[in-house]
Amino acid sequence: MSKLDYKSLYNQSIQDPAGFWGEAAKSLHWYTQPVKVLDDTRKPFYRWFSGGEINTCYNALDRHVEEGRGEQLALIYDSPVANIVKKYTYSELRDQVAKFAGALHSNGVAKGDRVIIYMPMVPEAVIAMLACARIGAIHSVVFGGFASKELATRINDAKPVMMISASCGLEGKKVVPYKPLLDEAIQLATHKPDKCIIFQRPQVQATMQEGRDLDWATLMLKSAAIDCVPVAATDPLYVLYTSGTTGIPKGVVRDNGGHAVALNWSMKHIYNVQPGDVFWAASDVGWVVGHSYIVYAPLIYGCTTVVYEGKPVGTPDPGAFWRVIAEHNVNVLFTAPTAFRAIKKEDPNAEYLKKYDMSNFRALFLAGERCDPDTLQWAQEILQKPVVDHWWQTETGWAIAANCLGIEAMPIKPGSPTKPVPGHAVCVLDETGQEIKGAGMGTIVIRLPLPPGCLPTLWNNDERFKSSYLDAHPGYYLTGDAGYIDEDGYLYIMSRIDDIINVAGHRLSTGSMEEVLASHPDVAECAVIGVSDQLKGELPLGMVVLKSGVSRSDKEIVDELVKMVRDKIGPVASFKVATVVKRLPKTRSGKILRGTMKKIADGQEYKMPATIDDPMILDEITESLEQLGYHARVVV
Ligand code: COA
Ligand code: AMP
């Protein structure tokens, strides 16, 4: 594709999506060329590359070995917590993956079967994902910070034949045994997987269940390597569960063809990297960023990827990121703004940075939450390199808006992820569903079809896909975010339109936390809101009304509630603060005024809602929040 300016490339992608992505698809290996690049026969369910056959693992590994990249590093595992650095060339990684694929196959995993991966940040997690892709099995990675109940919900929905896990995760200074969580999840689930493969780590020896559990190392000793199998471009590569508005997560489906094409294109055009460059996404394979930019995109494009098992601070110090960049010649880093806030808090003058050679480093990309201008400017100042905020979500799998450094670097406006990435027809709608032409605030949508790589549907649930994303505004995909486009075409993502909150770049549903609180025997009513936090962006805050006649102390109950959310959702929810209130503010029709309570907790001015049932309740809430240390403001 010839080099064009942003505007021409963007227009071309919107006016002729089939031509645009058909051209991009030529960079990949296909067993059978697609018959239809953009298949719109089942509108609004669009499919990309129908009739084509591909294998994502082949494109990520084998093809590079065959084209002479076998001796190049494919993966660098750097774990300051396990004190290990381990490197794999493309040939070595291909061989490990082919063997593990053999182990899966000989243990009954076939094309189309689901495999749940519940692993810490070790190379074996990446090997497991690619091995599934190799044999056409559909992986579903569950983040290690989720509790057994969340894992059980995913087991029941995905119905895996196999689970892959490890004996433990290393979380900062903590050792978290994973096997008891896995065993409990299987016990809670109504669907039972046939087998589990466990990767034993030296820190914890997991107890194995006879007849069900298999040891990773033993399997690898006796397994024979197997080849990639062709799958339909439209076949699912993986299912990744993400928070919805209820306690039941949504199983985002990713197909093989569209995903590989989009990610391969993104490496050059968004991140401006070349094959052979070192690309580091400091995230976790349990999140979409990990799927796309730790595993698939860097490998499909022929880069070296870094798997980092550590934190930005405390493992051992706020120079951790700079050490990894210098030691492994990282060219591009991708992480969440919260990581930079954590570094800034501990090392505001970036003293640690001075110790490291950053000469190979070219750009920083931030996503996962809104990037506050302060953090952006601090990162720019200390790094003296482009800092790019880009916006995307689990559903899209890659950036919807970015400053595409590989097309045309545009001036940065702090607070904006710049402009829509080619392929994404982003619009802002008003309450009546009309496109807002000026810089007005509204609901952000993407005109259909979505580009390749975005979700074609939800796992086994076309109906929920339609009702969650397509029904609100026919012809558009609802992103769930609200914001505006300014006079220069820059996009601003300001808030969610649902009850999703963003805690340290992790997407969580306050609805699911409310379900947990409501299950406490002493709780009559509850609400969870996301309040602003300087480090994590947002933190959940619970407010509960007790049933009449409860005589136990508030503290006792609050402690139990905090423990319940940790046990049922997981530590990742960071649910640590709750308070007992007499009543919750509601509208006359009974809707809890969560938005108003959030404004009070955040110290923002708010207008008395016209539909409020009893304005006095807001005074009580203000008082309770002030007792918790929030600087509540009065009504204007
Ligand atoms: N397994 C088990 N527990 C986990 C876990 C995992 N994989 N990941 C997180 N947890 C636990 C943490 O130990 C912590 O437990 P605690 O309440 O006992 O302290 C809790 O879940 C919350 O974790 P986290 O939100 O990560 O907070 P933190 O205080 O440990 O670290 C940051 C804060 C900002 C340093 C960290 O969130 C970070 O590096 N974030 C940026 C990168 C990123 O993850 N981005 C994701 C999307 S791109
Ligand atoms: P997730 O699906 O976990 O990636 O979360 C996606 C959500 O995080 C988006 O819908 C936004 O609400 C938020 N988000 C991600 N990246 C950005 C960004 N760059 N700016 C603003 N919000 C973001």
Side-chain angles (χ1 to χ4, degrees):
M1 201 176 289
S2 60
K3 183 128 178 134
L4 288 170
D5 61 295
Y6 164 78
K7 203 159 176 233
S8 326
L9 210 54
Y10 179 79
N11 288 341
Q12 195 186 320
S13 76
I14 302 300
Q15 282 152 16
D16 178 20
F20 187 89
W21 294 110
E23 187 64 30
K26 290 183 186 159
S27 312
L28 294 177
H29 168 273
W30 297 84
Y31 298 101
T32 311
Q33 287 300 322
V35 177
K36 245 183 157 179
V37 172
L38 175 58
D39 182 353
D40 59 2
T41 42
R42 266 190 71 226
K43 271 182 188 171
F45 294 88
Y46 293 86
R47 301 309 313 254
W48 288 96
F49 307 110
S50 295
E53 283 190 307
I54 194 167
N55 184 285
T56 300
C57 179
Y58 183 84
N59 276 287
L61 297 175
D62 302 59
R63 117 181 130 116
H64 298 309
V65 177
E66 286 160 23
E67 288 169 6
R69 224 172 257 290
E71 295 315 303
Q72 183 199 304
L73 286 182
L75 187 153
I76 300 170
Y77 166 53
D78 186 308
S79 174
V81 285
N83 208 9
I84 301 176
V85 172
K86 195 172 171 190
K87 300 178 182 180
Y88 298 73
T89 64
Y90 267 95
S91 294
E92 286 164 347
L93 191 61
R94 192 255 335 246
D95 293 348
Q96 294 276 310
V97 168
K99 264 191 164 194
F100 193 67
L104 290 177
H105 179 70
S106 58
N107 281 288
V109 181
K111 189 170 166 176
D113 284 345
R114 272 81 57 217
V115 174
I116 283 191
I117 300 173
Y118 185 61
M119 296 274 264
M121 281 291 287
V122 289
E124 286 71 16
V126 179
I127 291 170
M129 290 164 78
L130 289 163
C132 289
R134 194 169 187 87
I135 60 172
I138 303 163
H139 62 69
S140 185
V141 183
V142 178
F143 178 62
F146 280 119
S148 300
K149 189 169 167 291
E150 288 290 321
L151 181 54
T153 309
R154 288 152 174 81
I155 295 174
N156 285 339
D157 196 67
K159 302 196 170 30
V161 295
M162 171 76 81
M163 308 281 297
I164 304 170
S165 190
S167 58
C168 67
L170 303 176
E171 248 300 290
K173 294 187 177 70
K174 284 179 292 190
V175 176
V176 183
Y178 274 32
K179 187 64 180 4
L181 298 171
L182 178 82
D183 288 342
E184 194 191 335
I186 296 175
Q187 205 197 339
L188 287 171
T190 47
H191 170 85
K192 307 289 174 194
D194 301 335
K195 291 193 174 142
C196 302
I197 298 176
I198 308 299
F199 175 64
Q200 296 278 15
R201 304 188 75 185
Q203 294 80 5
V204 171
Q205 201 59 21
T207 312
M208 305 291 267
Q209 189 174 307
E210 193 65 35
R212 188 196 72 184
D213 297 346
L214 305 161
D215 174 57
W216 177 292
T218 314
L219 283 178
M220 287 299 264
L221 281 178
K222 62 179 191 200
S223 287
I226 58 170
D227 265 343
C228 299
V229 300
V231 298
T234 50
D235 278 346
L237 167 69
Y238 69 76
V239 177
L240 176 59
Y241 288 90
T242 190
S243 303
T245 45
T246 66
I248 309 291
K250 293 168 172 166
V252 168
V253 173
R254 197 80 61 209
D255 61 10
N256 276 275
H259 174 251
V261 171
L263 292 190
N264 190 56
W265 185 92
S266 74
M267 290 299 278
K268 177 172 188 290
H269 294 89
I270 299 179
Y271 301 99
N272 197 24
V273 287
Q274 299 300 321
D277 280 349
V278 182
F279 191 91
W280 176 25
S283 177
D284 188 290
V285 288
W287 305 115
V288 68
V289 174
H291 280 65
S292 295
Y293 291 103
I294 294 174
V295 185
Y296 288 110
L299 296 177
I300 290 172
Y301 194 60
C303 287
T304 303
T305 187
V306 179
V307 172
Y308 174 68
E309 188 182 31
K311 300 256 171 186
V313 294
T315 59
D317 55 44
F321 275 20
W322 324 137
R323 175 192 64 77
V324 173
I325 290 172
E327 216 168 293
H328 305 304
N329 297 321
V330 171
N331 302 114
V332 169
L333 169 66
F334 177 167
T335 192
T338 187
F340 267 71
R341 288 198 296 269
I343 298 170
K344 184 181 169 203
K345 193 170 163 210
E346 291 204 5
D347 184 19
N349 298 320
E351 296 295 337
Y352 281 86
L353 184 60
K354 295 178 190 148
K355 296 205 261 175
Y356 298 99
D357 173 9
M358 301 280 287
S359 51
N360 286 305
F361 185 64
R362 297 201 300 261
L364 168 68
F365 284 79
L366 297 169
E369 58 176 324
R370 181 162 193 273
C371 182
D372 51 293
D374 280 356
T375 305
L376 184 98
Q377 276 151 4
W378 186 74
Q380 281 171 331
E381 265 164 41
I382 64 157
L383 294 170
Q384 294 294 312
K385 297 282 155 69
V387 178
V388 177
D389 171 21
H390 60 331
W391 167 59
W392 50 302
Q393 37 183 221
T394 307
E395 288 85 345
T396 64
W398 63 297
I400 310 167
N403 199 337
C404 294
L405 295 189
I407 301 175
E408 181 191 345
M410 286 182 237
I412 287 166
K413 291 197 189 188
S416 165
T418 317
K419 295 190 183 183
V421 169
H424 302 82
V426 179
C427 320
V428 181
L429 303 184
D430 65 18
E431 299 97 61
T432 66
Q434 297 303 307
E435 282 187 28
I436 300 176
K437 293 295 176 201
M441 224 6 215
T443 301
I444 307 178
V445 295
I446 307 172
R447 202 177 309 120
L448 297 177
L450 293 171
C454 297
L455 81 171
T457 190
L458 293 175
W459 178 248
N460 269 344
N461 210 336
D462 282 356
E463 221 15 76
R464 190 171 181 201
F465 173 65
K466 260 180 96 266
S467 62
S468 304
Y469 303 106
L470 307 181
D471 287 351
H473 301 288
Y476 297 95
Y477 162 84
L478 185 73
T479 65
D481 286 312
Y484 62 94
I485 299 176
D486 77 5
E487 62 286 355
D488 298 324
Y490 279 58
L491 197 59
Y492 290 78
I493 312 299
M494 304 310 289
S495 58
R496 290 284 308 187
I497 57 168
D498 50 22
D499 69 355
I500 282 170
I501 59 168
N502 205 309
V503 180
H506 311 320
R507 169 170 161 180
L508 298 162
S509 151
T510 54
S512 68
M513 291 184 227
E514 287 177 3
E515 281 177 27
V516 175
L517 302 188
S519 70
H520 188 287
D522 294 339
V523 170
E525 267 194 306
C526 64
V528 174
I529 55 172
V531 294
S532 300
D533 179 74
Q534 284 221 320
L535 174 65
K536 296 198 176 184
E538 278 185 298
L539 275 178
L541 163 70
M543 275 179 272
V544 295
V545 177
L546 300 183
K547 288 179 181 161
S548 58
V550 173
S551 57
R552 300 165 63 219
S553 79
D554 288 0
K555 167 144 191 347
E556 217 178 317
I557 293 168
V558 164
D559 288 349
E560 283 169 9
L561 293 173
V562 168
K563 184 169 182 309
M564 276 172 80
V565 175
R566 194 176 174 93
D567 290 348
K568 293 202 170 148
I569 296 179
V572 67
S574 293
F575 183 87
K576 299 200 171 153
V577 187
T579 184
V580 174
V581 294
K582 285 192 221 111
R583 299 173 294 174
L584 289 169
K586 291 183 189 167
T587 61
R588 281 188 284 278
S589 58
K591 205 168 161 278
I592 296 175
L593 291 161
R594 293 179 180 78
T596 310
M597 290 195 284
K598 178 177 165 51
K599 283 204 166 125
I600 298 175
D602 286 347
Q604 287 177 18
E605 289 182 345
Y606 66 94
K607 280 204 180 80
M608 181 63 70
T611 54
I612 193 162
D613 186 34
D614 180 354
M616 291 294 289
I617 302 179
L618 286 183
D619 294 339
E620 294 167 18
I621 294 289
T622 305
E623 207 175 297
S624 301
L625 289 171
E626 274 173 349
Q627 275 166 16
L628 285 176
Y630 294 99
H631 303 290
R633 284 239 191 127
V634 273
V635 63
V636 289

